[in-house]
Amino acid sequence: MHAARWQGGVSPWGMSWQKLMMWLFIVSDALLFAGFLAAYGFQRLAAETWPDRNRVFHMEFITAMTFILISSSATMATAVGAAKRGDAKTMARFLALTILGGLCFLGMQAFEWTTLIRQGARLTTNPWGVPAFSAFFFMITGFHGTHVLIGVIILLVTAWKRASGDGVELAGLYWHFVDLVWVFIFGCFYLI
Amino acid sequence: MEQVAYRTYWLAWLTLLVITLGMVFVQLQAVLVLGMIAKATIIGAWFMHLRYERLEFTIIIMASIFVTALILFGLIVPDGLAM
């Protein structure tokens, strides 16, 4: 799988150290978002009222964002598969589709933020009554959006360097993780 | 790593879409929670290849996140109701 093994002839779980480190990073990053969402859940249960999400968000728009991110994860998985097969052409094509999906998602999030900010939403205040609502909204979606932005940069570098199978696989793991986090943000923030 | 057919990824994609639409239209708390767990499982198992890694590794990853989630969402978040 990977030429560089740990000394001693044994690599833990038969994976490269790069992949093991990526997983360690993903688990620790998952703890970050779990902490955010738990703080949000605690605050929401403790609050007497909470803004009606149908008045604040446009669900069709958010569902479209979710669709794009899920689709970009599927194109990323295909790109990783192509890289493993040594099919550089298919890999480049699906990597480009994934980057496009990430940029679409970022653009739509920027549009959503702009819409809410124009309506008067700030970190400390918002027109829907509960100040903590917009604080949690901007912090959690902001952190996630930053992860998407970093993911797009990683994918651009991966494509630019014409990375081999292992490099694309690492970028893929990160990208799927960002999609995984959105599953919980979408569920906890927009649907419940 | 064994090679996974492209079709598998797109089946996973289709399943994720169906679950997402189900969550948006039904909007029952139980459906939302089960939907989120199902989507996370599909992404982890197929897209992130946990299904194809060694079992011990998959268990360590899943267990660490499960224990954290249990402490945060099972023990701490419900305390918000008592505030």
PDB file of all heavy atoms in Angstrom, chain A residues 32-68:
ATOM      1  N   LEU A  32     -13.983  18.368  18.593  1.00  0.00           N
ATOM      2  CA  LEU A  32     -14.233  19.810  18.555  1.00  0.00           C
ATOM      3  C   LEU A  32     -15.689  20.090  18.195  1.00  0.00           C
ATOM      4  O   LEU A  32     -16.399  20.807  18.894  1.00  0.00           O
ATOM      5  CB  LEU A  32     -13.299  20.458  17.533  1.00  0.00           C
ATOM      6  CG  LEU A  32     -13.548  21.942  17.242  1.00  0.00           C
ATOM      7  CD1 LEU A  32     -12.858  22.798  18.280  1.00  0.00           C
ATOM      8  CD2 LEU A  32     -13.045  22.305  15.854  1.00  0.00           C
ATOM      9  N   PHE A  33     -16.156  19.479  17.097  1.00  0.00           N
ATOM     10  CA  PHE A  33     -17.526  19.734  16.648  1.00  0.00           C
ATOM     11  C   PHE A  33     -18.545  19.117  17.600  1.00  0.00           C
ATOM     12  O   PHE A  33     -19.631  19.671  17.802  1.00  0.00           O
ATOM     13  CB  PHE A  33     -17.721  19.221  15.220  1.00  0.00           C
ATOM     14  CG  PHE A  33     -17.167  20.159  14.191  1.00  0.00           C
ATOM     15  CD1 PHE A  33     -15.958  19.888  13.569  1.00  0.00           C
ATOM     16  CD2 PHE A  33     -17.830  21.315  13.852  1.00  0.00           C
ATOM     17  CE1 PHE A  33     -15.435  20.749  12.630  1.00  0.00           C
ATOM     18  CE2 PHE A  33     -17.321  22.193  12.918  1.00  0.00           C
ATOM     19  CZ  PHE A  33     -16.116  21.908  12.297  1.00  0.00           C
ATOM     20  N   ALA A  34     -18.199  17.956  18.197  1.00  0.00           N
ATOM     21  CA  ALA A  34     -19.105  17.348  19.175  1.00  0.00           C
ATOM     22  C   ALA A  34     -19.274  18.294  20.365  1.00  0.00           C
ATOM     23  O   ALA A  34     -20.385  18.473  20.875  1.00  0.00           O
ATOM     24  CB  ALA A  34     -18.558  15.996  19.636  1.00  0.00           C
ATOM     25  N   GLY A  35     -18.170  18.932  20.783  1.00  0.00           N
ATOM     26  CA  GLY A  35     -18.242  19.901  21.875  1.00  0.00           C
ATOM     27  C   GLY A  35     -19.128  21.081  21.520  1.00  0.00           C
ATOM     28  O   GLY A  35     -19.977  21.506  22.313  1.00  0.00           O
ATOM     29  N   PHE A  36     -18.963  21.620  20.299  1.00  0.00           N
ATOM     30  CA  PHE A  36     -19.795  22.735  19.840  1.00  0.00           C
ATOM     31  C   PHE A  36     -21.274  22.366  19.864  1.00  0.00           C
ATOM     32  O   PHE A  36     -22.110  23.097  20.387  1.00  0.00           O
ATOM     33  CB  PHE A  36     -19.422  23.124  18.403  1.00  0.00           C
ATOM     34  CG  PHE A  36     -18.208  23.982  18.301  1.00  0.00           C
ATOM     35  CD1 PHE A  36     -17.562  24.140  17.086  1.00  0.00           C
ATOM     36  CD2 PHE A  36     -17.699  24.631  19.412  1.00  0.00           C
ATOM     37  CE1 PHE A  36     -16.435  24.936  16.984  1.00  0.00           C
ATOM     38  CE2 PHE A  36     -16.573  25.426  19.317  1.00  0.00           C
ATOM     39  CZ  PHE A  36     -15.946  25.578  18.089  1.00  0.00           C
ATOM     40  N   LEU A  37     -21.588  21.203  19.262  1.00  0.00           N
ATOM     41  CA  LEU A  37     -22.990  20.815  19.140  1.00  0.00           C
ATOM     42  C   LEU A  37     -23.587  20.493  20.510  1.00  0.00           C
ATOM     43  O   LEU A  37     -24.769  20.746  20.750  1.00  0.00           O
ATOM     44  CB  LEU A  37     -23.143  19.634  18.180  1.00  0.00           C
ATOM     45  CG  LEU A  37     -22.974  20.008  16.701  1.00  0.00           C
ATOM     46  CD1 LEU A  37     -22.996  18.763  15.824  1.00  0.00           C
ATOM     47  CD2 LEU A  37     -24.059  20.983  16.243  1.00  0.00           C
ATOM     48  N   ALA A  38     -22.765  19.949  21.415  1.00  0.00           N
ATOM     49  CA  ALA A  38     -23.263  19.666  22.761  1.00  0.00           C
ATOM     50  C   ALA A  38     -23.547  20.974  23.500  1.00  0.00           C
ATOM     51  O   ALA A  38     -24.582  21.098  24.175  1.00  0.00           O
ATOM     52  CB  ALA A  38     -22.240  18.826  23.537  1.00  0.00           C
ATOM     53  N   ALA A  39     -22.653  21.957  23.368  1.00  0.00           N
ATOM     54  CA  ALA A  39     -22.885  23.257  24.004  1.00  0.00           C
ATOM     55  C   ALA A  39     -24.165  23.874  23.463  1.00  0.00           C
ATOM     56  O   ALA A  39     -24.994  24.419  24.212  1.00  0.00           O
ATOM     57  CB  ALA A  39     -21.690  24.183  23.742  1.00  0.00           C
ATOM     58  N   TYR A  40     -24.355  23.760  22.143  1.00  0.00           N
ATOM     59  CA  TYR A  40     -25.568  24.281  21.510  1.00  0.00           C
ATOM     60  C   TYR A  40     -26.815  23.565  22.030  1.00  0.00           C
ATOM     61  O   TYR A  40     -27.813  24.200  22.379  1.00  0.00           O
ATOM     62  CB  TYR A  40     -25.438  24.130  19.991  1.00  0.00           C
ATOM     63  CG  TYR A  40     -26.740  24.084  19.235  1.00  0.00           C
ATOM     64  CD1 TYR A  40     -27.494  25.246  19.052  1.00  0.00           C
ATOM     65  CD2 TYR A  40     -27.212  22.898  18.698  1.00  0.00           C
ATOM     66  CE1 TYR A  40     -28.692  25.197  18.361  1.00  0.00           C
ATOM     67  CE2 TYR A  40     -28.403  22.844  18.009  1.00  0.00           C
ATOM     68  CZ  TYR A  40     -29.137  23.986  17.846  1.00  0.00           C
ATOM     69  OH  TYR A  40     -30.317  23.942  17.172  1.00  0.00           O
ATOM     70  N   GLY A  41     -26.741  22.227  22.127  1.00  0.00           N
ATOM     71  CA  GLY A  41     -27.882  21.449  22.619  1.00  0.00           C
ATOM     72  C   GLY A  41     -28.217  21.810  24.056  1.00  0.00           C
ATOM     73  O   GLY A  41     -29.386  21.998  24.406  1.00  0.00           O
ATOM     74  N   PHE A  42     -27.183  21.962  24.890  1.00  0.00           N
ATOM     75  CA  PHE A  42     -27.378  22.327  26.295  1.00  0.00           C
ATOM     76  C   PHE A  42     -28.073  23.685  26.391  1.00  0.00           C
ATOM     77  O   PHE A  42     -29.070  23.847  27.083  1.00  0.00           O
ATOM     78  CB  PHE A  42     -26.015  22.372  26.991  1.00  0.00           C
ATOM     79  CG  PHE A  42     -26.091  22.679  28.461  1.00  0.00           C
ATOM     80  CD1 PHE A  42     -26.131  21.656  29.387  1.00  0.00           C
ATOM     81  CD2 PHE A  42     -26.115  23.999  28.905  1.00  0.00           C
ATOM     82  CE1 PHE A  42     -26.195  21.941  30.743  1.00  0.00           C
ATOM     83  CE2 PHE A  42     -26.186  24.286  30.250  1.00  0.00           C
ATOM     84  CZ  PHE A  42     -26.228  23.257  31.176  1.00  0.00           C
ATOM     85  N   GLN A  43     -27.536  24.651  25.651  1.00  0.00           N
ATOM     86  CA  GLN A  43     -28.074  26.007  25.682  1.00  0.00           C
ATOM     87  C   GLN A  43     -29.527  26.023  25.212  1.00  0.00           C
ATOM     88  O   GLN A  43     -30.372  26.709  25.762  1.00  0.00           O
ATOM     89  CB  GLN A  43     -27.219  26.903  24.783  1.00  0.00           C
ATOM     90  CG  GLN A  43     -27.669  28.346  24.712  1.00  0.00           C
ATOM     91  CD  GLN A  43     -27.251  29.115  25.957  1.00  0.00           C
ATOM     92  OE1 GLN A  43     -26.110  29.037  26.373  1.00  0.00           O
ATOM     93  NE2 GLN A  43     -28.179  29.844  26.547  1.00  0.00           N
ATOM     94  N   ARG A  44     -29.805  25.216  24.183  1.00  0.00           N
ATOM     95  CA  ARG A  44     -31.145  25.220  23.616  1.00  0.00           C
ATOM     96  C   ARG A  44     -32.157  24.603  24.575  1.00  0.00           C
ATOM     97  O   ARG A  44     -33.290  25.079  24.699  1.00  0.00           O
ATOM     98  CB  ARG A  44     -31.131  24.442  22.297  1.00  0.00           C
ATOM     99  CG  ARG A  44     -32.457  24.531  21.615  1.00  0.00           C
ATOM    100  CD  ARG A  44     -32.374  24.181  20.171  1.00  0.00           C
ATOM    101  NE  ARG A  44     -33.717  23.990  19.659  1.00  0.00           N
ATOM    102  CZ  ARG A  44     -33.992  23.675  18.424  1.00  0.00           C
ATOM    103  NH1 ARG A  44     -33.016  23.513  17.568  1.00  0.00           N
ATOM    104  NH2 ARG A  44     -35.224  23.531  18.037  1.00  0.00           N
ATOM    105  N   LEU A  45     -31.737  23.542  25.296  1.00  0.00           N
ATOM    106  CA  LEU A  45     -32.631  22.925  26.277  1.00  0.00           C
ATOM    107  C   LEU A  45     -32.826  23.862  27.471  1.00  0.00           C
ATOM    108  O   LEU A  45     -33.897  23.902  28.077  1.00  0.00           O
ATOM    109  CB  LEU A  45     -32.064  21.584  26.755  1.00  0.00           C
ATOM    110  CG  LEU A  45     -32.173  20.410  25.773  1.00  0.00           C
ATOM    111  CD1 LEU A  45     -31.568  19.160  26.377  1.00  0.00           C
ATOM    112  CD2 LEU A  45     -33.612  20.169  25.377  1.00  0.00           C
ATOM    113  N   ALA A  46     -31.754  24.629  27.798  1.00  0.00           N
ATOM    114  CA  ALA A  46     -31.837  25.515  28.964  1.00  0.00           C
ATOM    115  C   ALA A  46     -32.648  26.769  28.654  1.00  0.00           C
ATOM    116  O   ALA A  46     -33.203  27.389  29.557  1.00  0.00           O
ATOM    117  CB  ALA A  46     -30.437  25.886  29.430  1.00  0.00           C
ATOM    118  N   ALA A  47     -32.713  27.165  27.353  1.00  0.00           N
ATOM    119  CA  ALA A  47     -33.411  28.399  26.993  1.00  0.00           C
ATOM    120  C   ALA A  47     -34.929  28.205  27.082  1.00  0.00           C
ATOM    121  O   ALA A  47     -35.430  27.111  26.849  1.00  0.00           O
ATOM    122  CB  ALA A  47     -33.024  28.813  25.575  1.00  0.00           C
ATOM    123  N   GLU A  48     -35.610  29.304  27.441  1.00  0.00           N
ATOM    124  CA  GLU A  48     -37.063  29.191  27.556  1.00  0.00           C
ATOM    125  C   GLU A  48     -37.714  29.138  26.187  1.00  0.00           C
ATOM    126  O   GLU A  48     -38.666  28.399  25.968  1.00  0.00           O
ATOM    127  CB  GLU A  48     -37.596  30.372  28.368  1.00  0.00           C
ATOM    128  CG  GLU A  48     -37.471  30.131  29.867  1.00  0.00           C
ATOM    129  CD  GLU A  48     -37.648  31.395  30.674  1.00  0.00           C
ATOM    130  OE1 GLU A  48     -38.246  32.348  30.141  1.00  0.00           O
ATOM    131  OE2 GLU A  48     -37.175  31.427  31.824  1.00  0.00           O
ATOM    132  N   THR A  49     -37.228  29.956  25.268  1.00  0.00           N
ATOM    133  CA  THR A  49     -37.755  29.906  23.905  1.00  0.00           C
ATOM    134  C   THR A  49     -36.591  29.773  22.938  1.00  0.00           C
ATOM    135  O   THR A  49     -35.435  30.021  23.287  1.00  0.00           O
ATOM    136  CB  THR A  49     -38.535  31.189  23.547  1.00  0.00           C
ATOM    137  OG1 THR A  49     -37.635  32.287  23.693  1.00  0.00           O
ATOM    138  CG2 THR A  49     -39.739  31.359  24.430  1.00  0.00           C
ATOM    139  N   TRP A  50     -36.912  29.413  21.712  1.00  0.00           N
ATOM    140  CA  TRP A  50     -35.892  29.317  20.675  1.00  0.00           C
ATOM    141  C   TRP A  50     -36.544  29.788  19.376  1.00  0.00           C
ATOM    142  O   TRP A  50     -37.724  29.489  19.152  1.00  0.00           O
ATOM    143  CB  TRP A  50     -35.387  27.876  20.549  1.00  0.00           C
ATOM    144  CG  TRP A  50     -34.039  27.792  19.903  1.00  0.00           C
ATOM    145  CD1 TRP A  50     -33.783  27.394  18.625  1.00  0.00           C
ATOM    146  CD2 TRP A  50     -32.786  28.119  20.493  1.00  0.00           C
ATOM    147  NE1 TRP A  50     -32.431  27.463  18.398  1.00  0.00           N
ATOM    148  CE2 TRP A  50     -31.793  27.896  19.520  1.00  0.00           C
ATOM    149  CE3 TRP A  50     -32.395  28.588  21.754  1.00  0.00           C
ATOM    150  CZ2 TRP A  50     -30.438  28.130  19.759  1.00  0.00           C
ATOM    151  CZ3 TRP A  50     -31.042  28.817  21.986  1.00  0.00           C
ATOM    152  CH2 TRP A  50     -30.088  28.584  20.990  1.00  0.00           C
ATOM    153  N   PRO A  51     -35.831  30.526  18.532  1.00  0.00           N
ATOM    154  CA  PRO A  51     -36.451  31.038  17.300  1.00  0.00           C
ATOM    155  C   PRO A  51     -37.005  29.915  16.433  1.00  0.00           C
ATOM    156  O   PRO A  51     -36.429  28.824  16.377  1.00  0.00           O
ATOM    157  CB  PRO A  51     -35.296  31.743  16.593  1.00  0.00           C
ATOM    158  CG  PRO A  51     -34.322  32.068  17.664  1.00  0.00           C
ATOM    159  CD  PRO A  51     -34.442  30.992  18.684  1.00  0.00           C
ATOM    160  N   ASP A  52     -38.141  30.187  15.780  1.00  0.00           N
ATOM    161  CA  ASP A  52     -38.740  29.219  14.866  1.00  0.00           C
ATOM    162  C   ASP A  52     -37.864  29.135  13.616  1.00  0.00           C
ATOM    163  O   ASP A  52     -37.723  30.096  12.870  1.00  0.00           O
ATOM    164  CB  ASP A  52     -40.157  29.690  14.490  1.00  0.00           C
ATOM    165  CG  ASP A  52     -40.804  28.770  13.480  1.00  0.00           C
ATOM    166  OD1 ASP A  52     -40.245  27.680  13.238  1.00  0.00           O
ATOM    167  OD2 ASP A  52     -41.854  29.151  12.930  1.00  0.00           O
ATOM    168  N   ARG A  53     -37.264  27.951  13.385  1.00  0.00           N
ATOM    169  CA  ARG A  53     -36.281  27.833  12.303  1.00  0.00           C
ATOM    170  C   ARG A  53     -36.893  28.093  10.931  1.00  0.00           C
ATOM    171  O   ARG A  53     -36.225  28.555  10.016  1.00  0.00           O
ATOM    172  CB  ARG A  53     -35.625  26.463  12.334  1.00  0.00           C
ATOM    173  CG  ARG A  53     -36.600  25.358  12.223  1.00  0.00           C
ATOM    174  CD  ARG A  53     -35.992  24.004  12.459  1.00  0.00           C
ATOM    175  NE  ARG A  53     -37.064  23.043  12.489  1.00  0.00           N
ATOM    176  CZ  ARG A  53     -37.755  22.694  11.422  1.00  0.00           C
ATOM    177  NH1 ARG A  53     -37.451  23.196  10.243  1.00  0.00           N
ATOM    178  NH2 ARG A  53     -38.736  21.845  11.521  1.00  0.00           N
ATOM    179  N   ASN A  54     -38.212  27.814  10.782  1.00  0.00           N
ATOM    180  CA  ASN A  54     -38.843  28.057   9.484  1.00  0.00           C
ATOM    181  C   ASN A  54     -38.945  29.542   9.158  1.00  0.00           C
ATOM    182  O   ASN A  54     -39.076  29.923   7.998  1.00  0.00           O
ATOM    183  CB  ASN A  54     -40.238  27.419   9.450  1.00  0.00           C
ATOM    184  CG  ASN A  54     -40.137  25.915   9.356  1.00  0.00           C
ATOM    185  OD1 ASN A  54     -39.338  25.390   8.592  1.00  0.00           O
ATOM    186  ND2 ASN A  54     -40.924  25.220  10.165  1.00  0.00           N
ATOM    187  N   ARG A  55     -38.881  30.394  10.223  1.00  0.00           N
ATOM    188  CA  ARG A  55     -38.920  31.834   9.983  1.00  0.00           C
ATOM    189  C   ARG A  55     -37.536  32.348   9.618  1.00  0.00           C
ATOM    190  O   ARG A  55     -37.404  33.382   8.969  1.00  0.00           O
ATOM    191  CB  ARG A  55     -39.417  32.556  11.240  1.00  0.00           C
ATOM    192  CG  ARG A  55     -40.920  32.756  11.264  1.00  0.00           C
ATOM    193  CD  ARG A  55     -41.294  33.655  12.429  1.00  0.00           C
ATOM    194  NE  ARG A  55     -40.581  34.928  12.396  1.00  0.00           N
ATOM    195  CZ  ARG A  55     -40.202  35.596  13.495  1.00  0.00           C
ATOM    196  NH1 ARG A  55     -40.442  35.100  14.674  1.00  0.00           N
ATOM    197  NH2 ARG A  55     -39.587  36.756  13.384  1.00  0.00           N
ATOM    198  N   VAL A  56     -36.485  31.636  10.069  1.00  0.00           N
ATOM    199  CA  VAL A  56     -35.117  32.121   9.887  1.00  0.00           C
ATOM    200  C   VAL A  56     -34.483  31.542   8.620  1.00  0.00           C
ATOM    201  O   VAL A  56     -33.891  32.252   7.817  1.00  0.00           O
ATOM    202  CB  VAL A  56     -34.254  31.760  11.117  1.00  0.00           C
ATOM    203  CG1 VAL A  56     -32.853  32.329  10.958  1.00  0.00           C
ATOM    204  CG2 VAL A  56     -34.911  32.261  12.392  1.00  0.00           C
ATOM    205  N   PHE A  57     -34.617  30.217   8.463  1.00  0.00           N
ATOM    206  CA  PHE A  57     -33.910  29.539   7.369  1.00  0.00           C
ATOM    207  C   PHE A  57     -34.850  29.236   6.204  1.00  0.00           C
ATOM    208  O   PHE A  57     -36.047  29.100   6.379  1.00  0.00           O
ATOM    209  CB  PHE A  57     -33.313  28.212   7.866  1.00  0.00           C
ATOM    210  CG  PHE A  57     -32.388  28.362   9.032  1.00  0.00           C
ATOM    211  CD1 PHE A  57     -32.631  27.689  10.215  1.00  0.00           C
ATOM    212  CD2 PHE A  57     -31.272  29.178   8.947  1.00  0.00           C
ATOM    213  CE1 PHE A  57     -31.774  27.819  11.300  1.00  0.00           C
ATOM    214  CE2 PHE A  57     -30.412  29.316  10.026  1.00  0.00           C
ATOM    215  CZ  PHE A  57     -30.667  28.636  11.201  1.00  0.00           C
ATOM    216  N   HIS A  58     -34.253  29.114   5.012  1.00  0.00           N
ATOM    217  CA  HIS A  58     -35.001  28.648   3.839  1.00  0.00           C
ATOM    218  C   HIS A  58     -34.592  27.196   3.605  1.00  0.00           C
ATOM    219  O   HIS A  58     -33.511  26.925   3.098  1.00  0.00           O
ATOM    220  CB  HIS A  58     -34.681  29.516   2.626  1.00  0.00           C
ATOM    221  CG  HIS A  58     -35.070  30.945   2.834  1.00  0.00           C
ATOM    222  ND1 HIS A  58     -36.348  31.390   2.627  1.00  0.00           N
ATOM    223  CD2 HIS A  58     -34.357  32.009   3.282  1.00  0.00           C
ATOM    224  CE1 HIS A  58     -36.415  32.688   2.930  1.00  0.00           C
ATOM    225  NE2 HIS A  58     -35.213  33.084   3.324  1.00  0.00           N
ATOM    226  N   MET A  59     -35.482  26.285   3.987  1.00  0.00           N
ATOM    227  CA  MET A  59     -35.112  24.875   4.002  1.00  0.00           C
ATOM    228  C   MET A  59     -34.761  24.324   2.618  1.00  0.00           C
ATOM    229  O   MET A  59     -33.897  23.471   2.495  1.00  0.00           O
ATOM    230  CB  MET A  59     -36.234  24.041   4.633  1.00  0.00           C
ATOM    231  CG  MET A  59     -36.225  24.070   6.148  1.00  0.00           C
ATOM    232  SD  MET A  59     -34.575  23.906   6.867  1.00  0.00           S
ATOM    233  CE  MET A  59     -34.137  22.262   6.361  1.00  0.00           C
ATOM    234  N   GLU A  60     -35.438  24.833   1.549  1.00  0.00           N
ATOM    235  CA  GLU A  60     -35.114  24.340   0.204  1.00  0.00           C
ATOM    236  C   GLU A  60     -33.652  24.637  -0.116  1.00  0.00           C
ATOM    237  O   GLU A  60     -32.939  23.810  -0.681  1.00  0.00           O
ATOM    238  CB  GLU A  60     -36.008  24.997  -0.863  1.00  0.00           C
ATOM    239  CG  GLU A  60     -37.496  24.726  -0.701  1.00  0.00           C
ATOM    240  CD  GLU A  60     -38.168  25.701   0.260  1.00  0.00           C
ATOM    241  OE1 GLU A  60     -37.469  26.586   0.799  1.00  0.00           O
ATOM    242  OE2 GLU A  60     -39.381  25.558   0.481  1.00  0.00           O
ATOM    243  N   PHE A  61     -33.230  25.846   0.273  1.00  0.00           N
ATOM    244  CA  PHE A  61     -31.858  26.283  -0.003  1.00  0.00           C
ATOM    245  C   PHE A  61     -30.850  25.426   0.775  1.00  0.00           C
ATOM    246  O   PHE A  61     -29.852  24.965   0.214  1.00  0.00           O
ATOM    247  CB  PHE A  61     -31.731  27.757   0.392  1.00  0.00           C
ATOM    248  CG  PHE A  61     -30.449  28.402  -0.063  1.00  0.00           C
ATOM    249  CD1 PHE A  61     -30.261  28.730  -1.399  1.00  0.00           C
ATOM    250  CD2 PHE A  61     -29.434  28.677   0.840  1.00  0.00           C
ATOM    251  CE1 PHE A  61     -29.093  29.324  -1.819  1.00  0.00           C
ATOM    252  CE2 PHE A  61     -28.260  29.268   0.422  1.00  0.00           C
ATOM    253  CZ  PHE A  61     -28.089  29.596  -0.904  1.00  0.00           C
ATOM    254  N   ILE A  62     -31.150  25.195   2.067  1.00  0.00           N
ATOM    255  CA  ILE A  62     -30.236  24.413   2.908  1.00  0.00           C
ATOM    256  C   ILE A  62     -30.182  22.962   2.423  1.00  0.00           C
ATOM    257  O   ILE A  62     -29.124  22.327   2.427  1.00  0.00           O
ATOM    258  CB  ILE A  62     -30.677  24.462   4.382  1.00  0.00           C
ATOM    259  CG1 ILE A  62     -30.879  25.901   4.841  1.00  0.00           C
ATOM    260  CG2 ILE A  62     -29.659  23.763   5.277  1.00  0.00           C
ATOM    261  CD1 ILE A  62     -29.654  26.747   4.779  1.00  0.00           C
ATOM    262  N   THR A  63     -31.342  22.427   1.993  1.00  0.00           N
ATOM    263  CA  THR A  63     -31.368  21.059   1.481  1.00  0.00           C
ATOM    264  C   THR A  63     -30.531  20.961   0.205  1.00  0.00           C
ATOM    265  O   THR A  63     -29.823  19.969  -0.004  1.00  0.00           O
ATOM    266  CB  THR A  63     -32.817  20.609   1.207  1.00  0.00           C
ATOM    267  OG1 THR A  63     -33.603  20.856   2.380  1.00  0.00           O
ATOM    268  CG2 THR A  63     -32.886  19.133   0.878  1.00  0.00           C
ATOM    269  N   ALA A  64     -30.582  22.008  -0.633  1.00  0.00           N
ATOM    270  CA  ALA A  64     -29.753  22.020  -1.842  1.00  0.00           C
ATOM    271  C   ALA A  64     -28.264  22.030  -1.472  1.00  0.00           C
ATOM    272  O   ALA A  64     -27.457  21.327  -2.091  1.00  0.00           O
ATOM    273  CB  ALA A  64     -30.101  23.231  -2.704  1.00  0.00           C
ATOM    274  N   MET A  65     -27.898  22.818  -0.443  1.00  0.00           N
ATOM    275  CA  MET A  65     -26.503  22.827   0.021  1.00  0.00           C
ATOM    276  C   MET A  65     -26.076  21.432   0.471  1.00  0.00           C
ATOM    277  O   MET A  65     -24.975  20.956   0.152  1.00  0.00           O
ATOM    278  CB  MET A  65     -26.329  23.794   1.210  1.00  0.00           C
ATOM    279  CG  MET A  65     -26.267  25.252   0.839  1.00  0.00           C
ATOM    280  SD  MET A  65     -26.384  26.311   2.300  1.00  0.00           S
ATOM    281  CE  MET A  65     -24.773  26.086   3.043  1.00  0.00           C
ATOM    282  N   THR A  66     -26.978  20.769   1.216  1.00  0.00           N
ATOM    283  CA  THR A  66     -26.684  19.417   1.695  1.00  0.00           C
ATOM    284  C   THR A  66     -26.504  18.459   0.532  1.00  0.00           C
ATOM    285  O   THR A  66     -25.580  17.642   0.519  1.00  0.00           O
ATOM    286  CB  THR A  66     -27.830  18.933   2.608  1.00  0.00           C
ATOM    287  OG1 THR A  66     -28.047  19.923   3.604  1.00  0.00           O
ATOM    288  CG2 THR A  66     -27.507  17.613   3.255  1.00  0.00           C
ATOM    289  N   PHE A  67     -27.399  18.579  -0.461  1.00  0.00           N
ATOM    290  CA  PHE A  67     -27.306  17.735  -1.658  1.00  0.00           C
ATOM    291  C   PHE A  67     -25.952  17.912  -2.342  1.00  0.00           C
ATOM    292  O   PHE A  67     -25.291  16.936  -2.717  1.00  0.00           O
ATOM    293  CB  PHE A  67     -28.451  18.099  -2.619  1.00  0.00           C
ATOM    294  CG  PHE A  67     -28.315  17.490  -3.984  1.00  0.00           C
ATOM    295  CD1 PHE A  67     -28.602  16.149  -4.192  1.00  0.00           C
ATOM    296  CD2 PHE A  67     -27.885  18.256  -5.055  1.00  0.00           C
ATOM    297  CE1 PHE A  67     -28.465  15.583  -5.446  1.00  0.00           C
ATOM    298  CE2 PHE A  67     -27.747  17.698  -6.314  1.00  0.00           C
ATOM    299  CZ  PHE A  67     -28.037  16.358  -6.509  1.00  0.00           C
ATOM    300  N   ILE A  68     -25.512  19.157  -2.479  1.00  0.00           N
ATOM    301  CA  ILE A  68     -24.235  19.423  -3.153  1.00  0.00           C
ATOM    302  C   ILE A  68     -23.066  18.825  -2.378  1.00  0.00           C
ATOM    303  O   ILE A  68     -22.165  18.201  -2.951  1.00  0.00           O
ATOM    304  CB  ILE A  68     -24.050  20.946  -3.344  1.00  0.00           C
ATOM    305  CG1 ILE A  68     -24.982  21.437  -4.452  1.00  0.00           C
ATOM    306  CG2 ILE A  68     -22.606  21.292  -3.675  1.00  0.00           C
ATOM    307  CD1 ILE A  68     -25.047  22.923  -4.589  1.00  0.00           C
TER     308      ILE A  68
END
